[in-house]
Amino acid sequence: MTTPKPQVGLFVTCLVDFFRPTVGFSAVKLLEDAGCEVSVPAAQTCCGQPAYNSGDRAGARALAEQVIALFETFDHVVVPSGSCAGMIKVHYPDLFSGEPGWRLRAERLAAKTHELTSFLVDVLGVAPLPVSWEGTATYHDSCSGLRELGVKAQPRRLLSAVDGLAIKEMRDPEACCGFGGTFCVKYDEISNAIVDRKTADIKSTGVDLLLSGDLGCLLNMAGKLKREGSRVEVRHVAEVLAGMATGPAIGEKTK
Amino acid sequence: MSGGLSSASFPKNAHAALANPPLLKAIAHIEETLVSGRRRAVDALPEFEALRDAGRDIKAHTLAHLDLYLEAFEKKVVEAGGFVHWAADAAEASRIVLDICQAAGARRVTKGKSMITEEVGLNAFLEANGITPVETDLGEYIIQLRGETPSHIIAPAVHVNKEQVAADFRRVHTKLDPLRNLEEPTSLLAEARGVLRERFLTADVGITGANFLVAETGSTVIVTNEGNGDLTQILPKTHIVLASIEKVVPTLEDVATIMRLLARSATGQEMSVYTTLSTGPRRAGDPDGPEAFHVVLLDNGRSAMLGTEFEDMLRCIRCGACINHCPVYRSVGGHAYGSVYPGPMGSVLTPSLQGLEKAAHLANASTLCGRCESVCPMRIPLPKMLRHWREKEFERHLTPKKARFGLAAWRFLAARPRLYGAVTRMAAWSLARLAGKDGALKQLPLASGWTRWRDLPAPEGGTFRTEWAKRGRK
Amino acid sequence: MMSSRDAILGRIRRSLGTSEKDAPRLAAVRHRLAETPVNVVPARGQLPDAERVELFIRKAGEVFATVARLGSRDDIPAAVSEYLRDRNLPQAIRRGADARLANLPWEREAQLAVTVGPSAGQDLAGLSHADAGVAETGTVVLTSGADNPTTLNFLPDHHIVVVDTSTVTGDYETVWAGLRRRFGAGTMPRTVNLVTGPSRSADIEETLLLGAHGPRSLHILVVG
Ligand code: SF4
């Protein structure tokens, strides 16, 4: 008797949807190779984090209801982003305090929602795919994934199996990159000072590749590195793990 | 850069700070000293995380019984021969201190480092009333000479370099030999020690803050490294302690627990050099110590925080760890916040002290990266409280119009998946076209906040959901 | 008009949604103050006697105190004299009237001028007797009293402190228990000083300097 395949709903996130579909396809590949049946509900948009972090609780709540209704039927919900996964996992239940019905639904969804790499390692416990990437890389721990969800060892564990890839840590991989959602445009000058320290740390490692699990941070760091004329490639960790790091890196020229 | 900046002009203050290389160099130093020091101290104590839980629980218990512990503390102070005064706000606290000083016929008072006296603006008030306050903590002393306010709660002069200190000493210390070499920190310290020694010995009243008030014994506790707090409180005839109500803890055991967290979190020391418990005035037969002992308990908005979403903030022990680890503070320093309390803890406290209208920037000027909470010894959920302030702003329509409009538009769109799909598809396609082969945009009028500093990586072209549908997938 | 005291306490009670007559709260407070429960105590200091003293000495060294071990109390005068000589200091020491320091063979150090009483700021070196040492952090505990002036702990440039090995505890909690035994529960001497190393400051460019306002050096004589 074979156990039925786990039904996974992929919450692709608005940034991946808009900027970098490759991350979404990489996530699908990783999940399918791990034996999951992956669906992408077409009506998904945004998890509501921008509204939530701007103090617009009602707005965040409305989008949360939409996400809950769309995803609550899956066995698992997987998100290739620590901050959007954190929004669902940590903050959704908070949005419905005093409404037992909705709160329960939010908690149920929270319990089965996972950031991509932690889902692969902690929930599925899969063996990494036999992929290779020649060169050295450094890994940036995105804040929400790290501090809300404890994502730290999982991506490194998966990367350690990538053939030819050597990880060289930054001095402070846990330092914020300065993205912070709308912060990066509202307080752009400060955001710049923060990402400036981050790229200095990245460059001092001398690696070829910067990886992370959150596209917001990656766009920020890639944009800064490009502006500085750096040749460090920037990619979402899923691209490398899925063996799909073949097209142009983030912000890179197309051939 | 001096104090006197306002929270309302935070972006302007930040801009000035970012154009001040000596300031930035000074702040950058925090990494090797306070931040790595904390790391080492924490790693060397296996019980650190358990102590954090215990510290949080002690404070939570105390806050839930705050009225009773304050009464118990008061009773003990009186039993020991001291006086307790209650001040509802800053003005009343200053008034009480002035009255005590005047009754003691004081002309000159020495002060130990105390953020509460900064909060109530005590120095200016005493000066206006003919009493000279002398700050004795080296950092505070330097700040006072410069007419500034502290830029950090633990390292008040962290933004000043040694050349500036030398210049200040030459300006103010009139007896200083012009030929004396003041190039090195050691000679600066020796100079300050000499000048302040005389001040200690001639002060009429000594004013300190308190790190703890112990309900069990009526003791006030100060924690310092220099010993200035002790000289302030044992030499003059009168010792005044000005402390806020949430400093009370039940017992000596509770002091011990939080003590183990305080220095490690603040400076990376396992224990500060001097932890001193003072209980009442000198006893019969004592050869030294103050003859009168007063404790002024300050509320200043704290009782109103109890029972609200900001109650947890009252657990704060003013260690400064959240400040040292904050990427925003590390970019702009303390003065930019325009408040006595900078960094994350300040951004939570300042709106209650100054009013949300004036301090609205502070809660927003954060990436919510959460590092503050991850190092806070009292496990205060600082990001959550910053978000609470943002919610209050939004409720009260203090959020800037442009941001409100943007949020409303996003919400409108995101709630309509089909329209959202069409709009994002169009936008992604246009941006990708605009970038062409470059893969990134150097500038984009609507996103100038972004492109002023960094390129905007271009979208790949199609959105994920269109590409997914193209492959006939669900 | 309502006093600020009543206003503040009233506001606290309103915010907490309680009254001063709330019996369970009163009981909780009374219990905690009477029982003084111990929270988390680091394992670090929980050692057999000899190792505890070793830890105390090591920790004191880490915070830049210097330490000398003496076999007997009678060695104290010579140790004080030697310390002063090594530092090129005048042979003069000021101490409290404490019997533990008074009843020592000071006459053996003929050169040494011993004066008794609080410091007015002119003394280069002061001698105190600690009530306890805390191994956990290399801390000495000094209490004030008729025979133990607090000024001696802070005004002299050099502070020499005697610690009896039998009083070296693993943790602060044991010190509190000792204070309660000696002075009565809930009662304290005017001043209790926990001193961990010599005075220091890092206020100028975060450079660590010893000897800010208090003693530049702390020398501990561990007896026994
Ligand atoms: S909020 Fe926490 S980390 Fe910040 S000063 Fe207070 S106790 Fe320290």
Side-chain angles (χ1 to χ4, degrees), chain B residues 355-369:
Chain B
L356 187 53
E357 288 77 6
K358 260 190 83 185
H361 271 297
L362 302 185
N364 288 291
S366 161
T367 63
L368 300 181
C369 77

PDB file of all heavy atoms in Angstrom, chain B residues 355-369:
ATOM      1  N   GLY B 355       4.104  62.030  23.205  1.00  0.00           N
ATOM      2  CA  GLY B 355       2.886  62.076  22.387  1.00  0.00           C
ATOM      3  C   GLY B 355       3.184  61.508  21.008  1.00  0.00           C
ATOM      4  O   GLY B 355       4.242  61.750  20.439  1.00  0.00           O
ATOM      5  N   LEU B 356       2.224  60.757  20.505  1.00  0.00           N
ATOM      6  CA  LEU B 356       2.422  60.060  19.239  1.00  0.00           C
ATOM      7  C   LEU B 356       2.592  61.027  18.063  1.00  0.00           C
ATOM      8  O   LEU B 356       3.341  60.751  17.126  1.00  0.00           O
ATOM      9  CB  LEU B 356       1.231  59.118  19.005  1.00  0.00           C
ATOM     10  CG  LEU B 356       1.315  58.165  17.812  1.00  0.00           C
ATOM     11  CD1 LEU B 356       2.598  57.356  17.861  1.00  0.00           C
ATOM     12  CD2 LEU B 356       0.114  57.234  17.795  1.00  0.00           C
ATOM     13  N   GLU B 357       1.929  62.167  18.125  1.00  0.00           N
ATOM     14  CA  GLU B 357       2.014  63.129  17.022  1.00  0.00           C
ATOM     15  C   GLU B 357       3.468  63.518  16.775  1.00  0.00           C
ATOM     16  O   GLU B 357       3.929  63.544  15.638  1.00  0.00           O
ATOM     17  CB  GLU B 357       1.206  64.392  17.332  1.00  0.00           C
ATOM     18  CG  GLU B 357      -0.302  64.215  17.277  1.00  0.00           C
ATOM     19  CD  GLU B 357      -0.846  63.504  18.526  1.00  0.00           C
ATOM     20  OE1 GLU B 357      -0.054  63.261  19.464  1.00  0.00           O
ATOM     21  OE2 GLU B 357      -2.045  63.172  18.527  1.00  0.00           O
ATOM     22  N   LYS B 358       4.171  63.821  17.867  1.00  0.00           N
ATOM     23  CA  LYS B 358       5.558  64.276  17.732  1.00  0.00           C
ATOM     24  C   LYS B 358       6.508  63.139  17.376  1.00  0.00           C
ATOM     25  O   LYS B 358       7.511  63.352  16.713  1.00  0.00           O
ATOM     26  CB  LYS B 358       6.020  64.894  19.059  1.00  0.00           C
ATOM     27  CG  LYS B 358       5.987  66.406  19.071  1.00  0.00           C
ATOM     28  CD  LYS B 358       6.690  66.945  20.305  1.00  0.00           C
ATOM     29  CE  LYS B 358       8.197  67.026  20.115  1.00  0.00           C
ATOM     30  NZ  LYS B 358       8.881  67.434  21.345  1.00  0.00           N
ATOM     31  N   ALA B 359       6.182  61.958  17.874  1.00  0.00           N
ATOM     32  CA  ALA B 359       7.143  60.856  17.772  1.00  0.00           C
ATOM     33  C   ALA B 359       6.761  59.821  16.719  1.00  0.00           C
ATOM     34  O   ALA B 359       7.287  58.720  16.712  1.00  0.00           O
ATOM     35  CB  ALA B 359       7.295  60.190  19.132  1.00  0.00           C
ATOM     36  N   ALA B 360       5.863  60.193  15.823  1.00  0.00           N
ATOM     37  CA  ALA B 360       5.303  59.211  14.892  1.00  0.00           C
ATOM     38  C   ALA B 360       6.368  58.522  14.039  1.00  0.00           C
ATOM     39  O   ALA B 360       6.233  57.356  13.690  1.00  0.00           O
ATOM     40  CB  ALA B 360       4.269  59.868  13.988  1.00  0.00           C
ATOM     41  N   HIS B 361       7.436  59.241  13.711  1.00  0.00           N
ATOM     42  CA  HIS B 361       8.473  58.633  12.878  1.00  0.00           C
ATOM     43  C   HIS B 361       9.111  57.417  13.531  1.00  0.00           C
ATOM     44  O   HIS B 361       9.476  56.462  12.850  1.00  0.00           O
ATOM     45  CB  HIS B 361       9.590  59.646  12.608  1.00  0.00           C
ATOM     46  CG  HIS B 361       9.328  60.472  11.395  1.00  0.00           C
ATOM     47  ND1 HIS B 361       9.232  59.907  10.147  1.00  0.00           N
ATOM     48  CD2 HIS B 361       9.144  61.797  11.240  1.00  0.00           C
ATOM     49  CE1 HIS B 361       8.996  60.858   9.259  1.00  0.00           C
ATOM     50  NE2 HIS B 361       8.928  62.016   9.899  1.00  0.00           N
ATOM     51  N   LEU B 362       9.291  57.496  14.846  1.00  0.00           N
ATOM     52  CA  LEU B 362      10.162  56.522  15.502  1.00  0.00           C
ATOM     53  C   LEU B 362       9.717  55.083  15.295  1.00  0.00           C
ATOM     54  O   LEU B 362      10.526  54.219  14.976  1.00  0.00           O
ATOM     55  CB  LEU B 362      10.299  56.848  16.990  1.00  0.00           C
ATOM     56  CG  LEU B 362      10.857  58.249  17.277  1.00  0.00           C
ATOM     57  CD1 LEU B 362      11.064  58.441  18.767  1.00  0.00           C
ATOM     58  CD2 LEU B 362      12.161  58.494  16.516  1.00  0.00           C
ATOM     59  N   ALA B 363       8.411  54.837  15.474  1.00  0.00           N
ATOM     60  CA  ALA B 363       7.946  53.459  15.330  1.00  0.00           C
ATOM     61  C   ALA B 363       8.077  52.984  13.884  1.00  0.00           C
ATOM     62  O   ALA B 363       8.212  51.793  13.620  1.00  0.00           O
ATOM     63  CB  ALA B 363       6.499  53.341  15.786  1.00  0.00           C
ATOM     64  N   ASN B 364       8.057  53.916  12.954  1.00  0.00           N
ATOM     65  CA  ASN B 364       8.137  53.532  11.539  1.00  0.00           C
ATOM     66  C   ASN B 364       9.563  53.347  11.049  1.00  0.00           C
ATOM     67  O   ASN B 364       9.806  52.622  10.099  1.00  0.00           O
ATOM     68  CB  ASN B 364       7.437  54.586  10.687  1.00  0.00           C
ATOM     69  CG  ASN B 364       5.937  54.508  10.855  1.00  0.00           C
ATOM     70  OD1 ASN B 364       5.315  53.557  10.413  1.00  0.00           O
ATOM     71  ND2 ASN B 364       5.376  55.472  11.555  1.00  0.00           N
ATOM     72  N   ALA B 365      10.471  54.036  11.710  1.00  0.00           N
ATOM     73  CA  ALA B 365      11.860  53.977  11.266  1.00  0.00           C
ATOM     74  C   ALA B 365      12.526  52.714  11.789  1.00  0.00           C
ATOM     75  O   ALA B 365      13.520  52.760  12.512  1.00  0.00           O
ATOM     76  CB  ALA B 365      12.609  55.220  11.733  1.00  0.00           C
ATOM     77  N   SER B 366      11.958  51.580  11.435  1.00  0.00           N
ATOM     78  CA  SER B 366      12.501  50.302  11.879  1.00  0.00           C
ATOM     79  C   SER B 366      12.232  49.279  10.795  1.00  0.00           C
ATOM     80  O   SER B 366      11.166  49.290  10.182  1.00  0.00           O
ATOM     81  CB  SER B 366      11.819  49.862  13.171  1.00  0.00           C
ATOM     82  OG  SER B 366      12.010  48.476  13.377  1.00  0.00           O
ATOM     83  N   THR B 367      13.185  48.378  10.587  1.00  0.00           N
ATOM     84  CA  THR B 367      12.953  47.316   9.608  1.00  0.00           C
ATOM     85  C   THR B 367      12.179  46.158  10.239  1.00  0.00           C
ATOM     86  O   THR B 367      11.876  45.187   9.562  1.00  0.00           O
ATOM     87  CB  THR B 367      14.276  46.757   9.048  1.00  0.00           C
ATOM     88  OG1 THR B 367      14.998  46.157  10.136  1.00  0.00           O
ATOM     89  CG2 THR B 367      15.131  47.841   8.420  1.00  0.00           C
ATOM     90  N   LEU B 368      11.908  46.262  11.546  1.00  0.00           N
ATOM     91  CA  LEU B 368      11.283  45.174  12.295  1.00  0.00           C
ATOM     92  C   LEU B 368      12.105  43.890  12.163  1.00  0.00           C
ATOM     93  O   LEU B 368      11.546  42.799  12.101  1.00  0.00           O
ATOM     94  CB  LEU B 368       9.831  44.932  11.838  1.00  0.00           C
ATOM     95  CG  LEU B 368       8.851  46.107  11.981  1.00  0.00           C
ATOM     96  CD1 LEU B 368       7.455  45.683  11.517  1.00  0.00           C
ATOM     97  CD2 LEU B 368       8.769  46.600  13.427  1.00  0.00           C
ATOM     98  N   CYS B 369      13.398  44.044  12.140  1.00  0.00           N
ATOM     99  CA  CYS B 369      14.251  42.863  11.931  1.00  0.00           C
ATOM    100  C   CYS B 369      14.242  41.941  13.141  1.00  0.00           C
ATOM    101  O   CYS B 369      14.584  40.769  13.040  1.00  0.00           O
ATOM    102  CB  CYS B 369      15.678  43.258  11.586  1.00  0.00           C
ATOM    103  SG  CYS B 369      16.686  43.800  12.987  1.00  0.00           S
TER     104      CYS B 369
END
